[in-house]
Amino acid sequence: MKETLEYFKDPSWTKIIAERIKDLAPSRNLKFCHVCGTHEYSIFRYGLRSFLPRNVEVIAGPGCPVCICPASDIDEAIWLTFNGVTVVTYGDMLRVRGSKISLREAKALGGEVKVAYSISDGVKMAESEPNKEFVFFSIGFETTAITTAAAILKSPPKNLSFLISHRLIPPVMELLLGIGDLQIDGYIAPGHVSTIIGMKPYEVFPKAYRMPTVVAGFEPTDVLLAILMLLKQVNSGTPKLENEYSRVVKWDGNVKAKKMIDEVFKIVDGRWRGLGRVPYSALKLKEEFLQYDARERYEINIGSSRDLLPGCSCHLVMIGKITPLSCPLFTKACTPEDPKGPCMVSSEGTCFIWHRFHQISKRD
Amino acid sequence: MSEDTLALPKDILGPTPFPSLNTFREWDNILLKRYKPNYARLHETCNLCALGRCDFLAERIGKCGITLEAHQARMALLAIVSGAAAHASSARAILLYTIKEYGENRSINLGPNVLLSSPLIMTIVGVRPRTLNDLKRCLEWVQEQIVEVLSSVNVGQEGDVLDLESKALHVGMADLVALEIHELAKLVSYRFPKGEADTPFTNIGFGAIEGSKPAILIIGHDAITGIEVIRYAEKEGVFDSVEVLGLCCNAHEISRERHEAKIIGPLSDQLSFVQTGMMDVIVVDQQCIRVDLLEAAKKVRSPLIATNEHVCYGLPDKTLVHTDEVVKELTERRLDGVVILDPIKAAEVAVKTALEIRSKRERFKVPKEAFSIEFYANWCLKCPQLPCDNSCPNGLKIYSSIQAAKRLNFSKLSELDLMCIGCGMCDAACPANIPIMRMIKYAASWGKSKIRIGRGPIQDSEIREVGPPIILGKIPGVIGFVGCPAFTRSRDEIGKMAEELLKRNYIVVTTGCSAMSMATYTNDREQTLYERFNSLFDEGNLINLGSCAASAHLAGAAVKIANILTHRFLLGNFEEVADYVLNRVGACGIVWGPMAQKVSSTISGLNRLGIPVIMGPRGEGFGRTLLGDTEHEWTVFDARIGDKVYMSMVPEHLLCIAKDMYEALMLTAKLCMRPNDTTKGRQIKLRNYIDFYRRYHDDLPKDIHLFIRTEEDIPLNEKDKVIEKLKEEQWRPNPIPDPTLLRRLVRGNAKIAQEGSRQS
């Protein structure tokens, strides 16, 4: 496996693929969209945009789980910290603002918040302090939903419940095509999510929308190869669903994981920060697991919420309508040290990535 | 509910600020080639100029050279422009009054939840109004357009059908601006709800009147005097000692100011309610006021105060006479009514007169229990020609109902109430002078029901929230019920249609008399739709926006979707916004009882914005439809590649007539389809269409193949049958495009759109 990975990082291959992309790029403008924070990270880290012809653009869609987490869910977590419950969550979630403050600020104000690297950390914390109430603030797409499902199926301690904020990727990909004005020519589908859900959910894009779709990995060669595959589809005029990440992603995905998700969750409408309520795009615990649902266990009362501060353009950055450079706050009022919008917080947030690598390129 | 604030973009001026008659001629041509004008040939002769009378059937063309078809278009335009003039006049009255009262620098600020307060003005006129004075500039533009369009109706002017239609669409667009000006002036000056969803309830119906207090009835559209009546009564501490009631749009306005004010009902109740004599004073301003109102008021000794130059009833002008003297003249019956053009003075006279005259006119009040239906039924001469039946525009069986009433069976008369449009033709036709309308009204129940008061604009955050469900079809459409209560069948129908749509997750918004008529429909627990459904702008919710002028918020919501969801900029960018609405926003209007020319004007504005409208059977009275057909090439540009691609036959029509409520529901499901519907969205919309179609027929809709683009569009529960049908029709799949009708929006050409998004 190690050899394979090296192969996908090999600069000589990257150069060959980049040359092929230049050869195949048509004269008209093309816009490919990915929906994964890790893809955006890879693109910036390896400077992949510099390999592309000027008329081939890759935009970032709503693929950062931290960025799309609605303020109302963070407000709920903050409410819990102020009401005698210890909230456990991933590190990135601490710095994202809810309607008024972030979990980090809530902690400074006396709320009890702990950071975990995985859900099993949360389970251990709850087991070690059985007299305290713990809530695991569980966010992310299908990739993390499976860890939550697995933890719940293992009957976690009674003092642990879950504030579920999981979202599903395919519905929002279809939404992007419906919104209009984005003029996407092809999708780079997320490798991690596809590992779980497989290829089938993307079938609709080439079939109904004539949208070339390639599931891609995260090494530089993966991403460039996906772009090359998309270009070939565009040129041939025969959109299809292809799998560049075949070393990991299978057509049916992870059948066992999908079964566990189906066993624990049902699909409901879910709010996405800045996008509104996206139908059939969120997970909720099924009736038989409601005892683990923090929203059922506690009478959370947060009132109305506010997703974006005035001037923040995260909602436009997230759908790829604008790049962070077009946001009036970017690098001025909004920086990783003092983020105003969610996209500037997470290491997978588009603004954070652009800020980080733009600063590096400026120094260079 | 999120309260997130829309980041106000830096204003970018689009290509068409202050558009003139022909600015959008190209857009109109695109629309009118797809949706061809059809005329009912209502005007086969022309008397507009001294060359005529021209008989088109005999002479084929008029003496000025105009064709029959163009003459129909011209007469339709005439109706539309007069409607726009009425709305503009109303907007002018309220704007000038609020400027006089509050100053021209009064800020247009509807609070943090409605930052995008003037979407129509911004899009159409290209101005972001910040003060009342800015609205004045916009109103001047509206007035200019009305003058220009009206001049083209003159003999020796426009004679081409499509150009006449283009002008009709243009003046309709100006009408939408007038409506928004009207609303904004009120919203920033009065205590109206400014987009809050959970507005209070008020009572509606004849039963809402208490009868124990002096009662003042406000009729009309301006809102000015009605609200001054409330304010004067509050100032004098007598608000609780009098009853303030409204009819027609003013009813909405007074209840938006004080929800304790009551709503009697829509326009169709006007004459019959005045005939009850329950009102101590009647105050009218302008529009939708019966011209025989003074005569009816005289009979029951209710003094009438006319407060607008447009409607004076031949009454003496007492604007400059001392208030007490006028009150004395009215209470002593020296005058049947007066004209008072100062709203504050008119309000004072109304309240004082009501307080003083009440005891003197007790005998003219005829409560329900005091009216003897059988007494009047016995007057019937049994005319063999049945003039009562023949005079009724709704074809009601009046004669047999009166005969039944003679036998003390009042149920037949009572049943007529829901279908009576209150025109009074039966009363006029009866040789025995039987007060037929009163008999119908007294036979019917005088109940009261609940209606939410008008909430005004839709909040920006609500638009953001529902954008994705609208696009993904979870909300199959936004349906606006607007217009008059001139229904050809039961007024229950409007409630039944709304209920059907609400249960299927449509967002239903309503205004004016339609909103009131909807409140007469109750379930077996006597609950109105307003009590049963929430009032957020969300799936399966029912929203009363307010008076007819509040229809601007319906069009405004469609525009806001384009701006808030994709940041398509608005200022002076009408064509691109209309293109977005037509191709992407599943909104549709239902004007079930079109009557006034004003409605036709608003319809025309909605059409140009890309919102199709369904009229009830009475829509034939306008003699004009804009219908799509299979002969047209149903293509759009795919904005990604610039190719012209087939996009299925949606929305099928722009302006059509439904013969009954079932056909209207079927059309609604169809007209909410848009080229860019996602597969899930189209599935839901098709499922609704099939369900509504099956109310008529057992089979699948015959035209279903015209609305299916790919197999993914087919509703799962009907898949086998539909596929069979598709095979029969030799259907071929077509991919879903990124649709636009404007070549400049094709990528590479879209300099303006790209510039807009970059700068914002």
Side-chain angles (χ1 to χ4, degrees):
Chain A
M1 195 64 179
K2 189 181 170 189
E3 281 175 14
T4 314
L5 266 184
E6 279 173 4
Y7 176 81
F8 277 92
K9 282 179 178 171
D10 187 342
S12 60
W13 276 104
T14 309
K15 274 182 193 165
I16 292 168
I17 296 168
E19 285 303 315
R20 286 287 291 145
I21 286 174
K22 275 179 191 157
D23 293 343
L24 286 181
S27 55
R28 68 186 179 92
N29 289 342
L30 289 177
K31 194 191 275 182
F32 299 132
C33 177
H34 68 74
V35 277
C36 181
T38 316
H39 274 147
E40 185 64 12
Y41 185 83
S42 294
I43 287 167
F44 254 108
R45 183 176 173 197
Y46 298 110
L48 299 185
R49 283 198 175 91
S50 65
F51 286 101
L52 301 179
R54 283 178 69 85
N55 61 334
V56 177
E57 190 185 354
V58 179
I59 60 166
C64 161
V66 177
C67 311
I68 58 96
C69 183
S72 54
D73 288 8
I74 297 168
D75 291 346
E76 286 178 320
I78 291 169
W79 185 93
L80 287 167
T81 65
F82 290 140
N83 285 275
V85 180
T86 303
V87 171
V88 184
T89 190
Y90 304 111
D92 277 351
M93 284 309 294
L94 258 62
R95 297 171 58 232
V96 193
R97 288 171 67 99
S99 298
K100 289 177 185 147
I101 59 170
S102 62
L103 276 168
R104 187 171 66 171
E105 287 162 314
K107 190 175 181 182
L109 292 169
E112 192 142 356
V113 185
K114 289 188 174 177
V115 175
Y117 290 102
S118 70
I119 206 155
S120 55
D121 289 352
V123 174
K124 281 177 201 160
M125 287 177 201
E127 280 170 347
S128 62
E129 293 181 84
N131 295 328
K132 271 173 91 171
E133 291 284 312
F134 285 83
V135 166
F136 192 84
F137 184 17
S138 194
I139 65 132
F141 300 115
E142 292 88 336
T143 32
T144 48
I146 177 59
T147 61
T148 311
I152 287 172
L153 287 172
K154 281 183 194 162
S155 301
K158 283 201 167 53
N159 61 333
L160 176 65
S161 57
F162 296 84
L163 186 65
I164 303 292
S165 185
H166 290 301
R167 297 291 181 268
L168 307 176
I169 281 286
V172 85
M173 287 172 73
E174 194 162 6
L175 175 71
L176 291 188
L177 298 179
I179 284 178
D181 279 6
L182 299 178
Q183 296 168 345
I184 297 166
D185 294 288
Y187 266 131
I188 302 172
H192 292 152
V193 169
S194 309
T195 310
I196 307 293
I197 65 172
M199 306 274 285
K200 200 168 167 50
Y202 308 117
E203 261 188 323
V204 67
F205 301 118
K207 221 171 160 185
Y209 297 93
R210 289 183 64 81
M211 186 60 54
T213 306
V214 175
V215 176
F218 302 96
E219 300 306 331
T221 308
D222 281 323
V223 177
L224 285 179
L225 202 52
I227 293 169
L228 182 65
M229 290 162 85
L230 287 172
L231 277 174
K232 279 184 178 174
Q233 289 190 36
V234 169
N235 287 345
S236 67
T238 50
K240 51 192 169 187
L241 173 60
E242 291 185 299
N243 186 5
E244 184 281 329
Y245 204 25
S246 56
R247 63 187 187 277
V248 177
V249 174
K250 305 294 169 228
W251 177 261
D252 288 329
N254 185 333
V255 179
K256 199 175 169 188
K258 281 198 293 185
K259 203 177 156 200
M260 285 164 83
I261 291 176
D262 285 348
E263 203 177 333
V264 175
F265 295 112
K266 61 181 175 184
I267 296 174
V268 294
D269 297 354
R271 298 193 63 243
W272 292 54
R273 191 183 283 248
L275 293 185
R277 193 178 69 247
V278 182
Y280 321 114
S281 71
L283 296 176
K284 186 179 189 317
L285 289 173
K286 283 186 173 168
E287 303 296 319
E288 52 268 43
F289 300 103
L290 280 184
Q291 70 268 30
Y292 298 115
D293 191 336
R295 291 185 181 97
E296 295 289 323
R297 193 176 287 190
Y298 308 100
E299 287 177 8
I300 303 174
N301 181 13
I302 55 164
S304 60
S305 62
R306 175 191 289 250
D307 272 349
L308 302 171
L309 289 177
C312 173
S313 304
C314 275
H315 58 303
L316 298 175
V317 172
M318 272 190 273
I319 61 169
K321 174 82 178 173
I322 63 170
T323 65
L325 298 177
S326 300
C327 174
L329 305 186
F330 182 67
T331 71
K332 299 179 184 81
C334 183
T335 60
E337 294 74 37
D338 184 17
K340 292 290 181 288
C343 295
M344 189 55 98
V345 176
S346 163
S347 58
E348 291 193 357
T350 308
C351 294
F352 178 90
I353 296 167
W354 278 61
H355 182 274
R356 178 175 170 187
F357 290 102
H358 262 272
Q359 298 309 312
I360 292 170
S361 61
K362 270 190 209 167
R363 279 202 301 274
D364 293 345
Chain B
M1 169 53 57
S2 160
E3 281 183 359
D4 61 350
T5 312
L6 177 76
L8 277 178
K10 188 182 165 191
D11 288 347
I12 306 154
L13 190 56
T16 54
F18 293 95
S20 66
L21 289 193
N22 279 358
T23 306
F24 301 127
R25 194 165 171 245
E26 203 180 320
W27 172 250
D28 295 339
N29 277 338
I30 293 171
L31 291 180
L32 295 169
K33 275 180 187 162
R34 190 196 280 180
Y35 304 107
K36 294 182 185 70
N38 289 270
Y39 302 103
R41 296 193 177 188
L42 297 180
H43 311 281
E44 290 176 343
T45 59
C46 176
N47 291 309
L48 285 179
C49 77
L51 290 174
R53 174 182 186 260
C54 295
D55 185 338
F56 289 97
L57 292 183
E59 298 157 13
R60 290 202 300 175
I61 60 165
K63 294 182 182 70
C64 64
I66 198 164
T67 62
L68 171 60
E69 201 183 16
H71 181 59
Q72 308 308 305
R74 183 167 64 171
M75 295 307 286
L77 174 58
L78 197 57
I80 290 169
V81 75
S82 73
H87 278 150
S89 159
S90 199
R92 186 169 182 273
I94 187 87
L95 180 62
L96 296 184
Y97 187 72
T98 48
I99 286 177
K100 188 177 140 214
E101 288 296 305
Y102 303 102
E104 60 183 19
N105 291 326
R106 190 169 184 91
S107 166
I108 308 288
N109 180 1
L110 303 186
N113 295 325
V114 191
L115 291 181
L116 200 52
S117 56
S118 50
L120 294 174
I121 293 172
M122 287 174 69
T123 309
I124 297 167
V125 190
V127 169
R128 184 195 284 273
R130 295 175 200 282
T131 62
L132 288 179
N133 197 38
D134 292 343
L135 291 181
K136 227 161 113 180
R137 271 175 67 206
C138 303
L139 187 63
E140 279 166 16
W141 173 82
V142 173
Q143 291 166 173
E144 278 167 22
Q145 305 317 302
I146 289 168
V147 170
E148 295 297 327
V149 170
L150 194 53
S151 81
S152 68
V153 177
N154 220 309
V155 66
Q157 294 271 55
E158 192 62 78
D160 180 78
V161 173
L162 290 191
D163 276 320
L164 282 161
E165 284 294 339
S166 170
K167 287 171 176 63
L169 295 173
H170 184 74
V171 81
M173 183 182 75
D175 180 88
L176 292 183
V177 174
L179 294 180
E180 193 167 84
I181 293 169
H182 194 292
E183 275 293 288
L184 285 174
K186 288 180 302 192
L187 286 166
V188 301
S189 306
Y190 299 140
R191 291 171 287 181
F192 288 14
K194 295 173 179 56
E196 296 87 359
D198 202 16
T199 51
F201 288 97
T202 189
N203 289 324
I204 180 169
F206 278 30
I209 185 166
E210 287 176 34
S212 56
K213 297 176 186 172
I216 304 163
L217 178 65
I218 318 283
I219 309 177
H221 272 72
D222 270 359
I224 301 169
T225 317
I227 287 168
E228 289 303 343
V229 166
I230 290 176
R231 291 185 170 188
Y232 179 78
E234 284 174 342
K235 195 177 86 181
E236 295 300 311
V238 295
F239 183 77
D240 293 331
S241 314
V242 294
E243 272 193 273
V244 183
L245 302 105
L247 244 162
C248 209
C249 280
N250 260 338
H252 281 297
E253 310 298 28
I254 59 172
S255 65
R256 287 164 92 182
E257 177 74 2
R258 279 291 296 260
H259 71 90
E260 295 88 347
K262 293 159 192 166
I263 298 176
I264 291 301
L267 173 64
S268 53
D269 287 336
Q270 200 174 120
L271 194 56
S272 52
F273 187 65
V274 171
Q275 286 172 344
T276 65
M278 300 300 284
M279 291 294 97
D280 294 303
V281 173
I282 298 169
V283 179
V284 301
D285 47 45
Q286 64 164 322
Q287 294 173 33
C288 298
I289 299 162
R290 287 193 60 96
V291 292
D292 56 357
L293 196 69
L294 179 64
E295 288 309 310
K298 270 186 199 174
K299 285 181 187 163
V300 291
R301 302 288 192 272
S302 297
L304 188 145
I305 303 171
T307 63
N308 190 291
E309 287 172 334
H310 293 92
V311 185
C312 294
Y313 286 114
L315 294 168
D317 187 343
K318 299 285 178 180
T319 310
L320 300 177
V321 180
H322 193 275
T323 310
D324 292 341
E325 199 178 314
V326 182
V327 173
K328 201 173 171 192
E329 283 184 305
L330 290 173
T331 48
E332 290 177 359
R333 293 299 304 166
R334 279 186 270 149
L335 291 171
D336 296 319
V338 289
V339 173
I340 301 175
L341 299 176
D342 174 354
I344 295 174
K345 188 170 195 169
E348 188 180 344
V349 170
V351 175
K352 283 183 173 172
T353 305
L355 288 167
E356 285 193 25
I357 204 171
R358 186 178 178 275
S359 57
K360 294 182 181 175
R361 55 177 305 284
E362 205 57 46
R363 68 196 171 95
F364 295 102
K365 294 188 173 188
V366 187
K368 185 167 163 51
E369 58 281 1
F371 187 86
S372 169
I373 297 170
E374 63 271 28
F375 171 74
Y376 291 108
N378 283 320
W379 287 10
C380 181
L381 303 174
K382 297 188 178 178
C383 310
Q385 298 86 359
L386 305 182
C388 48
D389 280 14
N390 293 333
S391 67
C392 179
N394 262 2
L396 300 186
K397 302 289 178 205
I398 297 167
Y399 174 77
S400 58
S401 306
I402 291 176
Q403 298 314 308
K406 274 186 185 176
R407 300 187 297 273
L408 302 182
N409 173 6
F410 306 128
S411 62
K412 278 185 132 185
L413 269 177
S414 167
E415 284 165 15
L416 298 185
D417 182 50
L418 283 175
M419 286 174 276
C420 175
I421 59 170
C423 66
M425 296 299 287
C426 48
D427 283 10
C430 179
N433 290 327
I434 301 176
I436 299 170
M437 271 182 50
R438 291 176 77 191
M439 289 169 70
I440 293 172
K441 209 70 207 176
Y442 278 93
S445 158
W446 277 24
K448 64 177 174 187
S449 50
K450 297 277 183 194
I451 180 172
R452 271 192 197 277
I453 67 164
R455 58 166 279 187
I458 307 300
Q459 294 182 15
D460 302 343
S461 57
E462 286 176 293
I463 298 284
R464 190 190 300 287
E465 190 82 1
V466 299
I470 287 176
I471 286 166
L472 290 174
K474 181 96 188 290
I475 298 172
V478 181
I479 313 299
F481 281 90
V482 297
C484 319
F487 309 132
T488 43
R489 291 182 194 84
S490 165
R491 73 168 83 166
D492 267 4
E493 280 188 341
I494 199 164
K496 286 176 185 165
M497 281 192 279
E499 186 182 31
E500 275 281 355
L501 295 167
L502 287 164
K503 283 179 180 171
R504 288 172 182 271
N505 278 346
Y506 287 85
I507 298 175
V508 176
V509 301
T510 179
T511 64
C513 286
S514 290
M516 297 184 216
S517 299
M518 214 172 272
T520 57
Y521 176 67
T522 54
N523 62 2
D524 45 13
R525 290 166 60 198
E526 297 295 309
Q527 286 178 311
T528 63
L529 296 175
Y530 297 101
E531 292 168 282
R532 291 163 56 199
F533 295 92
N534 290 329
S535 57
L536 282 168
F537 190 74
D538 209 333
E539 61 186 75
N541 278 217
L542 172 64
I543 301 120
N544 174 15
L545 295 173
S547 60
C548 284
S551 301
H553 302 308
L554 165 65
V559 170
K560 279 183 172 197
I561 290 175
N563 177 267
I564 291 177
L565 223 57
T566 65
H567 234 232
R568 193 166 278 203
F569 75 103
L570 300 184
L571 221 52
N573 195 23
F574 177 81
E575 273 184 339
E576 291 180 18
V577 171
D579 180 62
Y580 191 93
V581 174
L582 179 68
N583 285 309
R584 297 170 195 279
V585 182
C588 172
I590 298 181
V591 185
W592 200 236
M595 187 200 78
Q597 295 96 320
K598 293 182 294 175
V599 184
S600 67
S601 191
T602 305
I603 289 172
S604 204
L606 293 174
N607 284 165
R608 198 186 223 186
L609 191 57
I611 301 175
V613 174
I614 301 161
M615 291 188 287
R618 207 167 288 284
E620 286 172 0
F622 288 136
R624 167 180 170 267
T625 51
L626 301 171
L627 303 178
D629 57 44
T630 47
E631 286 169 24
H632 179 77
E633 194 184 302
W634 288 83
T635 55
V636 286
F637 292 109
D638 188 331
R640 288 171 297 181
I641 48 179
D643 290 352
K644 267 194 160 185
V645 292
Y646 175 76
M647 53 90 174
S648 74
M649 206 169 141
V650 295
E652 190 181 14
H653 307 300
L654 209 50
L655 177 61
C656 58
I657 296 170
K659 63 177 182 291
D660 58 32
M661 60 175 269
Y662 299 108
E663 189 180 7
L665 288 170
M666 214 161 64
L667 282 164
T668 306
K670 277 206 279 189
L671 298 186
C672 283
M673 293 182 205
R674 291 295 182 274
N676 84 313
D677 285 342
T678 58
T679 52
K680 284 193 186 73
R682 185 59 68 88
Q683 273 187 31
I684 291 169
K685 291 175 186 186
L686 282 171
R687 198 183 307 144
N688 288 334
Y689 173 42
I690 293 169
D691 287 353
F692 288 137
Y693 185 87
R694 286 210 170 118
R695 304 274 168 90
Y696 263 131
H697 315 279
D698 289 337
D699 205 2
L700 280 175
K702 287 190 171 48
D703 56 356
I704 188 96
H705 59 286
L706 299 174
F707 310 111
I708 295 174
R709 302 158 300 178
T710 73
E711 279 192 26
E712 282 69 23
D713 286 348
I714 304 171
L716 296 177
N717 58 337
E718 303 282 353
K719 198 143 193 168
D720 294 342
K721 285 182 194 165
V722 172
I723 286 177
E724 208 174 298
K725 167 83 178 161
L726 294 181
K727 277 180 190 161
E728 276 173 32
E729 299 290 340
Q730 296 180 332
W731 169 88
R732 291 277 174 278
N734 285 282
I736 302 166
D738 188 353
T740 176
L741 288 168
L742 300 172
R743 193 185 288 273
R744 70 170 182 271
L745 288 188
V746 172
R747 187 167 41 194
N749 301 339
K751 284 179 188 159
I752 295 163
Q754 284 173 358
E755 187 70 12
S757 62
R758 194 161 46 244
Q759 289 187 35
S760 64

